[in-house]
Every structure is written in structure tokens, then in C-alpha cells.
């Protein structure tokens, strides 16, 4: 496959750096700086602690083990060992929380911006929602300063894929839409913002939004929402009790407000990155669950080049189709060691397998389906090293805490990575497997 196989109008990014585009057969692929298409096979948390957190990760048992094996005087001994293993396992991308000593060493890499964390006082945490206050000008200014520090040193790299703007933000979940109910499972984003303390800019923005939509103040809002609303405290009390407002009038207002909130988030973070690095892709904010429809509607190019989705607890393939209307998807976390992979057999799955056999079978099936899905441009195994509480053969890393290879994971991963591009090309002429 060559660049001539791509529809030119779909290609996003800058020539000479990593881009993404859709082939005439309908598949999305990354395209490297030399115009070669590739499917990203990644691993996250490639750092000396083996943990999430990247540059902020605290040393742990794995750190002590590698310090004993490789010493601390020459950090490159450890780096060289890790890179050699990654190449042996056909890994071509460093996922989130990998650290700079591994960058620009002949392997693609990603950066995680963590814009939510740069102004903690501007973070909305209420009613199950955890988001930056996108209406706060202090947060927007802090984004620009943070992007300068992170992006400027990377802007000339030909191996940087792009930037994740955040990790698993607490967006409101998609409301169920069944014949019986469309009641949200938690307070909506509009309801949460209306319930904030007045020091939040989002509080004032939410009330200004309502007053503009319903001339006449609280009485007009109450009529539109078909509820008793003698004062603002009523909404605060409902939110404190985690009781969602479930009327059709409120749902309509919330959809429009959520869309405006999402638009401000994606526009602000994209502008901050591109002010300091216009060469690389923006990889989205790593959704762990399907968010409200208004969020997905605003998660589009040019603010987002690739949508990133973590495995989470919800069925992954169903969510992929929701995101993939006109946008490539990077599965930024996928493994067969998570809780849902160890559950008892269901449906047509074979019986009589051990737990580890069942996990590996599900992993093999899941990887094959990801490779076949036309929107998916890659995946990343979540962790380089096990957690302290992990016990082989159910560890979550590709190495154990003593730095031994976790062959129960690496053998299947290597086999898939070796065949991933061929599997994807073979699937180009048929619909994705379900």
C-alpha cells in the first residue's frame, strides 16, 4: 500500500511528520514521515517505574529491581534493554506515560498533556463529573503556558505521533435511549454547572445560557422544564442527592449546553497545542466510556485528528462505531488482563477453558476485530510492568516486577503485532467482524 491508495482530502497532518488518512477502500491508517502507512501497536507506561504518571510517576518495586540490574550511573543501559525488547515484540509505538529518554530512538511515541491537572482550582468535580472549567480564562491561559513547555521541545520530531489532551475525563455519560426511559444515570453537565459555587465561571455561564434561552427567569425555566423551581437551591439539592433532572425540557437545554462546553474544551486545548506545535496530530482525550451525544458531536477534525478510546467497562466495539462516523479511532488502552476479560464464558464461547485460556482467547479475538475495523488506526497495551498486587499469570504488564518477561502476555502480543498490518489489509474488502 502506498500514499496513492489514500483519498487526498481525508489526510490530516503535515507532510514530513506523522499523518492520518483514509484509503479508497475506507480504512484509516497512520502515515509516517516518509509516507509509509502503518498500524500502531503500542505499549504505555514505558518508564523506569513502569507506572502511569510518566514524568510524575513515583519510584516503586520495579524501579528498585531495574536499578539493581542496570545500575543508576548510566540510564541508557536500561533504555537500550527496553527498546530491544519492544522491537522483539514488534511494538512500534510508545503509549501514554512513556518518558523522554525513550523518545526519538527509532520508535513512534505519543505525549499526554493532562490539561485538566494544570489548574486544580478550576476543576469541576460534582455529580460524577470531573472536567476543567472551560469558561475560566485562567484555565485557558494555563493551557497555553503548559503547551509551550511540553510541545515546543517536540515540534521537530519525525517520530512523535501526537498529543493526548487528557486521560479519561469525567464527561457525562450517554443517556440511555430505550422505549421505556431516557432518564440519565447521573446529574447532567448543565445541572452540575448550575449547582457549582459562584466562584466557578461555569456556574455563571450555565445560568446566563438558561436566561438567554428562557426570557423570564426562574419562572420561565420552570415552565420549560415542567418542574417546581422556586429558587436555585432546588437544583443544588437535587445534584447533592445525585438525582438527575429528567424532563424533556431540561434534556433539550442540556444537549445544547453540553455541546457548547465540549466545543470550548476541544477548541481551547487544540489551539494551545497548535500555538506551539503545528506539526503533530491531536489524539483526543481518551474516552473510557461513551459520553453524551453533544461531546461526541464536537470531537471532530480540525480540533481532534484522532479519537482515542480506552477499553473501559463498556463493550468496546459498540463504542467504536459511535465514534467512527468520520473520524479515525486509536484504542489507547486494550488488554486481556482486565476484569471483564476474566468473567465466566458467555454465549457461544467454548466451555471448559481455564481462566487464563479464556482471557487469551478473548484477547486474540479482540485484537483481530480491532485490526479489521475500518476506523481503528492502532491500539496500545496499557502497562509496561506489573502492579505490586499482580500475581503471574494474571499480571497486567509485559514484564514482571523483577523485570522478567511476562511470556503469558508477550507471546500472543508479538504474534498479533507481527501480523497486524496484514490482517488489516486482508479485511479491507470485507465488513468488520462483530
Amino acid at each position: 500500500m502506498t500514499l496513492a491508495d489514500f483519498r487526498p482530502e481525508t489526510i490530516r497532518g503535515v507532510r514530513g511528520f506523522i499523518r492520518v488518512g483514509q484509503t479508497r477502500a475506507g480504512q484509516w491508517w497512520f502515515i509516517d514521515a516518509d509516507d509509509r502507512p502503518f498500524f500502531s501497536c503500542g505499549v504505555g507506561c514505558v518508564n523506569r517505574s513502569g507506572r502511569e504518571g510518566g514524568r510524575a510517576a513515583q519510584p516503586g518495586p520495579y524501579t528498585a529491581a531495574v536499578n539493581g540490574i542496570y545500575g543508576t550511573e548510566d540510564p541508557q543501559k536500561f533504555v537500550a534493554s527496553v527498546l530491544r525488547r519492544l522491537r522483539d515484540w514488534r511494538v512500534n509505538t510508545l503509549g501514554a506515560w512513556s518518558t523522554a529518554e525513550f523518545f526519538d530512538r527509532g520508535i513512534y511515541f505519543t505525549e499526554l498533556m493532562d490539561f485538566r491537572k494544570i489548574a486544580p482550582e478550576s476543576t469541576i468535580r460534582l455529580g460524577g463529573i470531573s472536567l476543567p472549567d472551560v469558561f475560566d480564562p485562567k484555565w485557558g491561559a494555563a493551557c497555553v503556558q503548559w503547551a509551550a513547555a511540553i510541545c515546543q521541545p517536540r515540534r521537530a520530531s519525525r517520530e512523535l505521533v501526537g498529543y493526548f489532551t487528557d486521560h479519561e475525563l469525567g464527561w457525562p455519560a450517554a443517556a440511555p435511549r430505550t422505549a421505556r426511559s431516557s432518564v440519565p444515570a447521573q446529574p447532567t453537565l448543565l445541572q452540575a454547572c448550575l449547582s457549582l459555587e459562584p466562584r466557578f465561571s461555569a456556574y455563571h455561564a450555565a445560568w446566563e445560557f438558561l436566561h438567554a434561552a428562557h426570557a423570564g427567569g426562574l419562572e420561565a425555566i420552570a415552565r420549560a422544564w415542567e418542574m417546581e423551581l422556586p429558587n436555585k437551591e432546588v437544583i443544588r439539592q437535587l445534584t447533592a442527592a445525585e438525582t438527575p433532572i429528567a424532563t424533556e425540557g431540561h434534556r433539550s437545554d442540556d444537549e445544547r449546553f453540553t455541546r457548547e462546553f465540549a466545543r470550548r474544551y476541544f477548541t481551547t486545548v487544540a489551539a494551545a497545542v497548535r500555538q506551539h506545535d503545528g506539526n503533530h496530530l491531536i489524539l483526543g482525550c481518551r474516552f473510557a466510556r461513551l459520553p453524551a451525544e453533544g461531546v461526541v458531536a464536537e470531537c471532530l477534525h480540525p480540533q481532534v485528528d484522532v479519537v482515542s478510546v480506552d477499553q473501559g467497562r463498556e463493550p468496546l466495539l459498540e463504542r467504536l462505531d459511535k465514534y467512527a462516523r468520520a473520524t479515525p479511532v486509536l484504542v489507547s488502552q486494550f488488554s486481556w488482563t482486565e476484569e471483564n476479560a476474566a468473567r465466566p464464558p458467555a454465549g457461544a464461547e467454548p466451555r471448559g477453558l481455564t481462566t487464563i485460556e479464556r482471557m487469551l482467547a478473548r484477547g486474540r479475538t479482540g485484537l483481530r476485530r480491532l485490526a479489521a475495523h475500518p476506523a481503528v488506526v492502532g491500539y496500545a497495551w496499557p502497562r509496561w510492568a506489573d502492579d505490586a498486587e499482580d500475581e503471574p499469570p494474571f499480571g497486567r504488564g509485559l514484564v514482571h516486577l523483577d523485570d522478567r518477561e511476562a511470556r503469558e502476555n508477550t507471546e500472543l502480543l508479538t504474534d498479533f503485532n507481527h501480523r497486524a498490518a496484514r490482517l488489516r489489509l486482508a479485511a479491507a474488502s470485507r465488513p468488520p467482524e462483530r
Side-chain angles (χ1 to χ4, degrees):
M1 185 169 55
T2 69
L3 201 60
D5 295 303
F6 286 79
R7 295 165 51 207
E9 70 275 14
T10 69
I11 296 178
R12 305 170 182 179
V14 176
R15 190 83 180 255
F17 298 89
I18 293 177
R19 295 178 288 169
V20 67
Q22 189 180 39
T23 67
R24 301 181 194 282
Q27 288 185 327
W28 288 91
W29 291 76
F30 282 122
I31 304 166
D32 74 9
D34 296 312
D35 293 342
R36 296 172 299 195
F38 70 95
F39 184 81
S40 177
C41 300
V43 174
C45 301
V46 181
N47 59 63
R48 206 172 179 97
S49 73
R51 296 175 168 179
E52 294 182 1
R55 50 189 163 263
Q58 296 299 309
Y62 182 68
T63 313
V66 298
N67 286 350
I69 296 169
Y70 303 101
T72 57
E73 293 184 0
D74 182 6
Q76 293 306 312
K77 290 182 180 179
F78 172 64
V79 172
S81 172
V82 170
L83 292 174
R84 182 171 58 251
R85 283 173 152 180
L86 291 173
R87 293 185 180 106
D88 287 345
W89 301 333
R90 302 295 201 276
V91 172
N92 62 16
T93 308
L94 301 171
W97 299 296
S98 299
T99 44
E101 63 266 30
F102 297 96
F103 295 171
D104 295 306
R105 297 291 301 270
I107 187 169
Y108 309 126
F109 67 97
T110 59
E111 265 279 23
L112 174 62
M113 300 298 298
D114 269 337
F115 281 119
R116 171 179 51 183
K117 296 181 179 180
I118 59 176
E121 70 281 1
S122 295
T123 301
I124 298 168
R125 293 187 178 90
L126 191 64
I129 289 165
S130 178
L131 294 166
D133 185 346
V134 300
F135 299 97
D136 188 343
K138 294 193 297 295
W139 177 74
C143 286
V144 174
Q145 293 179 350
W146 185 243
I150 302 300
C151 301
Q152 283 186 359
R154 307 281 174 239
R155 60 187 175 187
S157 173
R158 286 165 55 87
E159 295 177 359
L160 173 60
V161 178
Y163 301 96
F164 299 110
T165 56
D166 274 295
H167 171 64
E168 297 186 355
L169 289 176
W171 293 104
R177 295 301 178 92
T178 67
R180 293 185 177 182
S181 173
S182 62
V183 177
Q186 64 184 52
T188 66
L189 181 56
L190 175 58
Q191 180 180 341
C193 289
L194 293 171
S195 305
L196 293 169
E197 295 300 321
R199 68 179 179 84
F200 283 93
S201 298
Y203 167 83
H204 299 285
W207 281 109
E208 288 170 7
F209 166 84
L210 281 184
H211 286 305
H214 305 285
L218 284 176
E219 290 185 4
I221 297 168
R223 287 194 301 271
W225 290 5
E226 301 178 271
M227 62 180 291
E228 296 291 330
L229 195 58
N231 52 56
K232 295 180 178 180
E233 189 61 28
V234 171
I235 297 176
R236 277 205 177 93
Q237 290 174 357
L238 289 171
T239 305
E242 298 187 357
T243 302
I245 300 171
T247 69
E248 183 62 23
H250 174 80
R251 184 194 65 78
S252 178
D253 283 339
D254 174 68
E255 285 185 355
R256 291 184 294 111
F257 180 79
T258 296
R259 189 157 185 167
E260 174 59 25
F261 193 107
R263 182 183 300 117
R264 283 176 177 261
Y265 170 79
F266 292 119
T267 300
T268 300
V269 296
V273 168
R274 288 185 170 133
Q275 180 172 333
H276 299 286
D277 182 354
N279 296 326
H280 295 102
L281 300 173
I282 295 178
L283 306 176
C285 57
R286 297 169 62 98
F287 294 109
R289 61 180 182 179
L290 185 67
E293 291 180 9
V295 179
V296 177
E298 294 298 327
C299 192
L300 294 172
H301 181 71
Q303 283 73 35
V304 179
D305 298 304
V306 178
V307 175
S308 57
V309 182
D310 289 350
Q311 190 168 7
R313 295 178 178 271
E314 299 172 345
L316 181 59
L317 285 169
E318 290 181 17
R319 286 187 287 141
L320 292 182
D321 289 338
K322 300 284 188 181
Y323 296 116
R325 297 167 184 169
T327 304
V329 178
L330 175 62
V331 179
S332 40
Q333 286 189 344
F334 175 85
S335 81
W336 48 82
T337 63
E338 301 302 317
E339 181 181 347
N340 58 1
R343 69 184 187 279
E349 285 187 309
R351 305 280 167 164
L353 300 178
T354 65
T355 299
I356 188 67
E357 288 172 335
R358 188 165 58 248
M359 291 165 67
L360 291 172
R362 287 172 176 168
R364 186 178 295 107
T365 299
L367 288 170
R368 189 174 66 249
R369 290 177 174 175
L370 292 182
H373 198 291
V376 174
V377 290
Y379 83 99
W381 184 267
R383 302 187 65 89
W384 169 252
D386 285 348
D387 277 335
E389 64 269 21
D390 290 348
E391 294 184 12
F394 303 105
R396 284 174 277 185
L398 300 186
V399 297
H400 299 307
L401 289 176
D402 60 3
D403 202 41
R404 288 181 301 110
E405 178 180 350
R407 292 186 181 275
E408 62 274 16
N409 293 328
T410 60
E411 288 183 355
L412 174 55
L413 206 71
T414 302
D415 177 67
F416 172 77
N417 291 347
H418 183 66
R419 298 184 299 120
R422 294 199 303 273
L423 289 170
R424 187 157 183 77
L425 286 170
S429 60
R430 66 176 187 268
E433 184 179 347
R434 300 298 180 194

